[in-house]
Amino acid sequence: MTASIIDGKAFAANLKEQIARKVSILKENHNLTPGLAVVLVGEDPASQVYVRNKNKSTKAAGMNSYEYLMDDDVSESELIAKVTELNGDPSVHGILVQLPLPKHINEAAVIETISPEKDVDGFHVINSGLLATGGKGMVPCTPLGCIMMLKDKLGSLSGLDAVVVGRSNIVGKPMAQLLLNESCTVTIAHSRTKNLGEVVGRSDIVVAAVGVPELVKGSWIKPGATVIDVGINRIEKDDGKTKLVGDVEFIPASERAGAITPVPGGVGPMTIAVLLQNTVTAACRQLAIDEPE
Ligand code: GUN
């Protein structure tokens, strides 16, 4: 079997078009321009790239983008004061504090300061609690993007066996919750899991989000399974150059899977598109406006 490739880039481009259409309706009918504030602490090059892309995509969708750059020796209380100010700013509907934060800052304390209604990352405990109990909160962007692609590919996920490899608060745990909400039978595997190959081998859906290059072997994949690879790892090739690989061995996995996301061009482009969607949703909820279809 040769897997069909799930084109996250095309999927994200389509989603961004729909978001831009919703934004123009909100502007026209409700005089509402959704606004996203992104706070970046320090000068981590990867974070700078993400923030630049978020800024560009937000503006391209017709929304307001506010960027706050803070030195990496900023105090926790100064950062918390900035978040508190943004909580009270009616032109800001979504707040994202780029992670990771410098070691002297307690990430959890900062995240818990963000108003849950403006928490477009869905990282606040109120939002993770709502996700776990079937409530209407903000859902983390990367897992939500994965579910959108899975439902687009498979239709109903009900009754399927799914494994999530990785147990982070940002991807693994909310991903498992979303799959459970779709009535999958869900296993969460991680670095201590015994017989990972066996667990993967009985799964109709494999979501790899463990941050270990090519940990999930192609030979483990159940024939016809759908594989979503969240990993983005830069590795050195034999010739000394570097390349990006996922958490799944792509070529052998694509010979067994029914469908698979590539790296790059799979899950990656979806995250920002879903962030914009979450900002539109947050703005509509804050103003008690029905979100345009
Ligand atoms: N750093 C890497 N990915 C993310 C993300 O999705 N949200 C935030 N806040 N920081 C990140």
Side-chain angles (χ1 to χ4, degrees), residues 2-270:
T2 302
S4 67
I5 303 298
I6 302 174
D7 185 346
K9 218 168 146 183
F11 203 105
N14 188 280
L15 188 56
K16 282 180 176 175
E17 262 177 44
Q18 293 176 41
I19 294 162
R21 188 182 45 76
K22 288 183 189 181
V23 170
S24 67
I25 293 171
L26 290 172
K27 283 183 181 176
E28 193 137 316
N29 296 357
H30 301 279
N31 198 24
L32 165 62
T33 304
L36 172 65
V38 176
V39 182
L40 173 62
V41 179
E43 294 181 354
D44 175 61
S47 293
Q48 285 176 326
V49 172
Y50 286 137
V51 168
R52 212 176 306 133
N53 288 340
K54 283 168 193 164
N55 187 17
K56 222 168 74 184
S57 299
T58 307
K59 287 181 177 158
M63 298 196 270
N64 289 328
S65 176
Y66 309 101
E67 218 178 279
Y68 300 92
L69 307 178
M70 305 183 99
D71 290 338
D72 67 1
D73 61 357
V74 71
S75 69
E76 186 176 307
S77 57
E78 277 175 278
L79 177 55
I80 284 179
K82 173 51 77 181
V83 171
T84 305
E85 178 195 319
L86 296 170
N87 283 341
D89 183 340
S91 65
V92 171
H93 306 97
I95 301 170
L96 181 148
V97 178
Q98 184 69 23
L99 303 178
L101 289 169
K103 297 247 173 320
H104 67 278
I105 296 177
N106 178 345
E107 271 183 11
V110 174
I111 291 167
E112 298 327 321
T113 304
I114 299 171
S115 159
E117 294 76 26
K118 295 191 177 186
D119 170 36
V120 282
D121 261 327
F123 295 166
H124 193 288
V125 286
I126 293 269
N127 284 318
S128 47
L130 287 168
L131 181 61
T133 54
K136 206 171 101 181
M138 298 308 304
V139 178
C141 304
T142 301
L144 184 52
C146 294
I147 279 286
M148 286 178 182
M149 291 194 287
L150 282 167
K151 287 171 77 170
D152 182 68
K153 195 78 214 166
L154 298 173
S156 168
L157 310 184
S158 180
L160 295 178
D161 286 315
V163 62
V164 180
V165 187
R167 53 176 157 176
S168 69
N169 289 340
I170 293 180
V171 183
K173 285 183 219 166
M175 186 74 231
Q177 200 63 61
L178 286 167
L179 289 162
L180 187 59
N181 292 351
E182 294 298 326
S183 301
C184 290
T185 303
V186 184
T187 303
I188 305 178
H190 44 78
S191 55
R192 305 278 179 92
T193 297
K194 282 188 265 175
N195 301 326
L196 181 59
E198 239 172 70
V199 177
V200 170
R202 59 171 183 260
S203 301
D204 306 304
I205 294 171
V206 179
V207 180
V210 69
V212 179
E214 300 178 324
L215 176 79
V216 175
K217 304 303 169 206
S219 60
W220 295 350
I221 302 297
K222 178 177 173 177
T226 305
V227 179
I228 305 289
D229 192 347
V230 182
I232 304 179
N233 311 287
R234 188 166 287 284
I235 61 163
E236 197 167 317
K237 296 189 292 182
D238 293 341
D239 64 5
K241 293 187 181 154
T242 64
K243 66 167 180 174
L244 289 179
V245 298
D247 291 350
V248 179
E249 272 188 332
F250 180 77
I251 291 173
S254 64
E255 284 160 11
R256 294 173 67 82
I260 188 167
T261 59
V263 177
V267 175
M270 283 298 286

